[in-house]
Amino acid sequence: MRVAVIGSGYVGLVAATCFAEGGNDVVCVDIDKAKIDGLKNGIVPIYEPGLEEMVERNAKAGRLSFTTDLAEGVKPAEVVFIAVGTPEGENGDADLQYVLAAARDIGKVIERYTVVVDKSTVPVGTADLVRKEIAAVTDVEFDVVSNPEFLKEGAAIDDFMSPDRVVIGAETEKAREIMGELYAPFCRKNDRIIFMDTRSAELTKYAANAMLATRISFMNEMARLCERVGADVEMVRQGIGSDSRIGLSFLFAGASFGGSCFPKDIKALYGTARENGLDFELLRAVNSVNAEQKRILLQKALRHYGTNLEGKLFGVWGLAFKPKTDDMREAPSITLIEGLLGKGARVVAHDPVAHESARKIFGDRIAYADTPYGAVEGVDGLFLVTEWNEFRRPDFDRMQSLMKQAVVFDGRNVFNPKKMRERGFKYFGIGRGKDQ
Ligand code: NAD
């Protein structure tokens, strides 16, 4: 099948590459010329495990190409995906300007029946807006489909190639058939395609993210209670997660959730509810618990060191909002580091892949260490913010010999509090009993 994907970011590039891997002819379109020039030369602008090799393989085979010329990609395509950003707008609602601009541009160039697919996360009713936008500039027949994306950064290729489910909101049989055919190679083991109407599909994506974020905020609030009553949230997590009605996924307490999706999607869903006369109280709470949780590590540090951190040096392990990505959008490390700098401290950080993205935010205001141990040399304390695997089993003796003060703030509950204290560390976790 001939496919065009508008927007070559985390979602667009992964989707395009996986569709090419599935044997389709795919053109990636982006307005960012530097990105497209790089991709043409094999430079993948984001870190995503396995992506670079897959891009290279499919580009070489002639199934995957890159352009800034939307018409070049769209004209021959049977299916055109819109995978541009939908950032948070002024009042928290999703900003649809990029989606609607792409829709208009698609409408101007299509020459035959085309399925236009909203892959970006967009509020209920956007398929109707996209349809109107296109219809205003063409007489050609087309369908608009909602096909939200559920991939997780850091595991995006696996998620796309073997999805838990593919949600397709379509209003015509013709569009359903084409989408079913396109996704069939990814659902060979069993049929994971769930067809529905466009509005339900649009809402499904927000509902999924809101449910996941709710679980995290619930556990973070539970962690606060654990600290007050002297219980261990890790024990509570295992105790409740083993109940098959609850399950173990997404139950980790920690230094808040971040990323490009959860924070903005919760606000956008809240906005949708509000516009429709519903005050979605639970979402407000999920958001405010998370905002408070972003400050948890700084609060623990200020309680331990006092409010003036002048002359202190802190190490930070992990900058990206989660492991296996270089994405810094809404990363908890930003709130922590800005807080530490604001209190007069200096910071040295290590992340396996996110230094370049972090530099765009912090510049030279912090130092970047090439290794985890470089980020503990002479420090008054270490913050573990992102649970990369390489941070799980460090050489504790080496750490201790390098640190000025052996104090660890474990924002992901990676270490065992008892063992850390036996090793001679002053240890602070999230919800691991009363802070000692
Ligand atoms: P991104 O910012 O990484 O990429 C968006 C790309 O679109 C950019 O390269 C930008 O230059 C390009 N673009 C903008 N306007 C354009 C236009 N008119 N024509 C061509 N290209 C254009 O964003 P992302 O993280 O890939 O997210 C895209 C959408 O997918 C969002 O709605 C997001 O909520 C959703 N989503 C993201 C994830 C994720 O993990 N990142 C997962 C599921 C869904």
Side-chain angles (χ1 to χ4, degrees):
M1 221 177 260
R2 297 183 80 95
V3 175
V5 180
I6 318 298
S8 306
Y10 284 88
V11 167
L13 187 58
V14 169
T17 308
C18 292
F19 280 132
E21 182 80 5
N24 301 288
D25 284 326
V26 186
V27 181
C28 283
V29 182
D30 205 289
I31 45 173
D32 184 336
K33 189 173 176 310
K35 198 178 260 191
I36 291 297
D37 286 346
L39 282 164
K40 280 181 178 169
N41 291 307
I43 301 165
V44 173
I46 52 170
Y47 175 79
E48 186 59 49
L51 182 60
E52 203 167 84
E53 300 87 304
M54 204 185 254
V55 168
E56 193 190 334
R57 185 167 61 243
N58 284 284
K60 247 192 202 151
R63 289 190 298 264
L64 183 65
S65 59
F66 307 96
T67 181
T68 52
D69 180 2
L70 182 128
E72 184 189 322
V74 169
K75 271 186 188 171
E78 296 150 86
V79 183
V80 178
F81 284 86
I82 301 178
V84 300
T86 47
E88 190 178 322
E90 266 170 32
N91 54 0
D93 295 345
D95 181 351
L96 288 178
Q97 62 168 312
Y98 307 103
V99 170
L100 297 180
R104 216 169 308 128
D105 291 345
I106 292 165
K108 283 182 196 156
V109 299
I110 51 172
E111 290 172 341
R112 61 190 175 114
Y113 174 77
T114 308
V115 180
V116 179
V117 187
D118 290 339
K119 183 151 267 314
S120 301
T121 303
V122 289
V124 178
T126 302
D128 299 335
L129 297 178
V130 165
R131 198 174 291 120
K132 264 192 209 146
E133 208 69 39
I134 299 173
V137 289
T138 187
D139 292 327
V140 173
E141 190 199 349
F142 68 92
D143 270 310
V144 176
V145 164
S146 166
N147 168 222
E149 183 49 57
F150 297 97
L151 63 76
K152 301 182 287 294
E153 285 177 27
I157 300 270
D158 280 351
D159 286 346
F160 201 94
M161 297 302 288
S162 317
D164 286 340
R165 78 314 207 175
V166 174
V167 169
I168 295 175
E171 308 295 346
T172 70
E173 195 45 46
K174 194 170 176 182
R176 268 192 289 276
E177 244 173 55
I178 291 172
M179 293 302 289
E181 199 183 317
L182 181 62
Y183 272 106
F186 303 94
C187 304
R188 276 171 58 203
K189 266 196 223 138
N190 56 19
D191 191 1
R192 291 167 185 273
I193 303 179
I194 306 171
F195 289 106
M196 55 181 81
D197 61 281
T198 51
R199 285 181 168 250
S200 301
E202 288 164 339
L203 197 54
T204 297
K205 172 66 193 176
Y206 284 102
N209 277 357
M211 174 63 92
L212 294 170
T214 301
R215 284 171 72 100
I216 297 175
S217 277
F218 176 85
M219 289 310 286
N220 284 336
E221 191 94 297
M222 195 55 77
R224 289 178 205 168
L225 184 57
C226 285
E227 289 182 8
R228 282 176 173 73
V229 300
D232 183 351
V233 75
E234 263 302 289
M235 296 294 103
V236 176
R237 178 184 72 79
Q238 290 175 35
I240 63 170
S242 48
D243 182 328
S244 61
R245 292 169 304 175
I246 296 174
L248 281 159
S249 301
F250 265 81
L251 279 189
F252 287 100
S256 82
F257 60 76
S260 67
C261 292
F262 284 7
K264 82 167 169 60
D265 290 351
I266 290 161
K267 285 184 206 148
L269 182 57
Y270 181 76
T272 300
R274 190 193 49 221
E275 278 159 29
N276 288 280
L278 176 69
D279 177 20
F280 205 142
E281 274 182 72
L282 189 57
L283 288 182
R284 260 195 292 130
V286 168
N287 197 34
S288 65
V289 168
N290 196 56
E292 185 66 18
Q293 199 70 6
K294 279 205 160 165
R295 293 192 288 272
I296 194 98
L297 289 177
L298 183 66
Q299 283 165 356
K300 282 177 188 274
L302 296 179
R303 274 202 297 273
H304 179 66
Y305 299 98
T307 51
N308 185 356
L309 301 178
E310 268 333 304
K312 297 242 176 328
L313 173 66
F314 292 105
V316 172
W317 280 1
L319 292 164
F321 88 93
K322 67 174 182 176
K324 296 188 186 168
T325 180
D326 60 352
D327 197 342
M328 288 286 298
R329 290 179 282 186
E330 303 264 345
S333 66
I334 300 174
T335 314
L336 170 68
I337 291 173
E338 293 295 359
L340 292 171
L341 296 176
K343 295 287 178 190
R346 288 175 302 128
V347 171
V348 51
H350 171 75
D351 187 287
V353 300
H355 288 185
E356 211 179 304
S357 330
R359 260 182 220 285
K360 291 182 193 144
I361 297 164
F362 304 117
D364 292 332
R365 291 186 296 139
I366 65 170
Y368 303 89
D370 291 337
T371 66
Y373 298 103
V376 294
E377 257 184 80
V379 299
D380 293 280
L382 168 69
F383 296 89
L384 191 156
V385 188
T386 317
E387 66 280 30
W388 282 91
N389 278 339
E390 39 263 81
F391 301 150
R392 288 179 187 274
R393 295 276 174 273
D395 179 340
F396 292 106
D397 291 340
R398 186 170 169 201
M399 277 171 74
Q400 252 180 356
S401 69
L402 289 168
M403 293 170 84
K404 189 166 149 198
Q405 297 190 59
V407 184
V408 171
F409 298 88
D410 179 357
R412 298 295 164 191
N413 290 343
V414 163
F415 304 128
N416 180 310
K418 189 163 167 276
K419 285 195 184 146
M420 288 300 278
R421 288 179 189 126
E422 282 166 9
R423 287 182 189 116
F425 287 92
K426 182 92 192 155
Y427 176 86
F428 298 90
I430 308 286
R432 314 299 306 266
K434 292 186 177 170
D435 275 343
Q436 296 171 8

